[in-house]
Amino acid sequence: MKKKGFTLIEIILVISLVFIISAATIPSYSKFINGRKLQSDQNKLIENIRYARELAESGKNNSNFGVYFQESRYVLYQGEGYGNRDPSQDQIFDLSKNIELSNLNEVNFETGTSMPSTTGTLKITNTANEKFRNIKVNKEGLIYVSR
């Protein structure tokens, strides 16, 4: 009479194979997720800077609009500058974990013309893998990514 089932050696072998395959794929998956977080936050940030520019260009509330950058978040605001804005109109956006902003504090777009108060490069970095992208605002108010 034959017994049905698995031997202890077969079970250990299968568990070992699953462990080895998992150990090989987890770092790749983690790297993929970190890259997607940077890309996703970059796209949202560009979209919101462009939105501030569009609001200023349209003359909404006859006011300037801008974006104030902090290390782990940014604020879309209404007013001639972050210091003299209307805080009740603030829209705050938090960045994903390990994503940071640097190199530019603020950009404000003039009512009607949408010309920026400052130009420069905003650096968005994933501190988990040190990958980064540069977002540029030029003198015409165009926003684009450079590497």
Side-chain angles (χ1 to χ4, degrees), residues 13-24:
L13 182 63
V14 168
I15 290 173
S16 298
L17 286 172
V18 168
F19 179 75
I20 291 169
I21 291 170
S22 296

Side-chain angles (χ1 to χ4, degrees), residues 40-97:
S40 175
D41 280 4
Q42 169 203 296
N43 291 342
K44 288 177 194 171
L45 178 58
I46 290 171
E47 180 181 311
N48 284 312
I49 296 170
R50 287 179 177 157
Y51 182 58
R53 182 177 183 261
E54 290 170 15
L55 290 171
E57 188 172 29
S58 71
K60 182 176 181 181
N61 298 335
N62 198 28
S63 180
N64 290 10
F65 284 84
V67 182
Y68 181 75
F69 309 106
Q70 297 172 318
E71 186 174 282
S72 61
R73 71 181 193 168
Y74 57 96
V75 181
L76 192 154
Y77 66 87
Q78 177 180 318
E80 291 185 17
Y82 185 74
N84 55 1
R85 73 195 190 284
D86 178 358
S88 69
Q89 300 296 316
D90 285 359
Q91 295 178 46
I92 299 170
F93 301 91
D94 291 317
L95 298 171
S96 299
K97 182 180 175 185

